[in-house]
Amino acid sequence: MTSEGPALKWGVERRLEFIEFRLFWEGGVNRSDIIEMFDVSVPQASKDLTLYQERAPHNARYDKSARRYVASPDFVPIFLKPDPYSYLSRLRSVAEGLTELGESWITQVPDTDIALTPRRDIGANVLRTTLSAVRDVRSVNVLYQSMSKDRPDPMWRRITPHAFGYDGFRWHVRGYCHLTNKFKDFLLPRILDVGNIGEAGASADQDTLWQERFAVKIGPHPDLTDSQKAVVAKDYGMVDGSAILTVRYAMLFYVLKGLGLLGDAALLPAHSQHIVVINRKDTLAALKKAEFVL
């Protein structure tokens, strides 16, 4: 997003967005912030701040005691679309050690902790080869450890991967299994090794459970009070007491599991299970359609 005026080069607009990020989320910015983040000269940083004030004259004022520009009471973002989820995603990445603090644009990090899950051991060569197979529409031989009773030991099997899925805890690759002639999910940590690349099997457009979607209708738990239902509706972006989650059939199990909706959520205590599935009969039928065995 830009204000009125000549079009800006990408690098300049990026620095103006950074200035606005610091003003909006952290209350202020100074010249050294720009220099450290973008490795630009002192004159260039000064020029960026001047340009920002020209484009957004009511957004920042210079605080002599703090020696930095601070957000004014009339601040209205023009280069940045303030997104709480984007900011919290940056904060989470820093807290989990996935992003260096300097790369996050955040300086004043609040005391933060994350409910971490064990980091799954995914081989770099496994991921690299699988990505290559997806990109080139090829198959790959994988040494896979299934949890099936029929396959208690690791075994080589050929798959034609075409997509990736994440359930909030684990990554898997979606692909056609040449052994069972079905599309399945293969957990990346359970691929112990990769072999040769070969001809593709069934194509991604034949994976109907991946291509087709189902609408899950959710609403507040019926045992909540009216005020509790109202805040749950706000939490989940509900309109008139319900919201629609449009989910791939292949991801339906993971979504419902993550939300505590695999069973009849209305039978669970409302204080711990805040939402229920409204179209439960159709959802059970969709689950049956999407059933899979690794």
Side-chain angles (χ1 to χ4, degrees), residues 24-38:
F24 185 84
W25 291 115
E26 303 203 344
V29 64
N30 59 31
R31 190 171 56 186
S32 63
D33 293 336
I34 304 169
I35 295 170
E36 292 174 8
M37 179 59 61
F38 296 98

Side-chain angles (χ1 to χ4, degrees), residues 124-145:
N125 189 49
V126 166
L127 179 58
R128 180 172 182 267
T129 304
T130 306
L131 285 168
S132 176
V134 172
R135 183 172 59 249
D136 298 334
V137 193
R138 303 276 282 172
S139 68
V140 59
N141 211 22
V142 299
L143 180 62
Y144 193 73
Q145 174 62 72

Side-chain angles (χ1 to χ4, degrees), residues 71-88:
S72 70
D74 301 323
F75 183 92
V76 177
I78 59 173
F79 293 97
L80 175 77
K81 183 179 180 181
D83 181 357
Y85 288 99
S86 176
Y87 179 88
L88 292 173

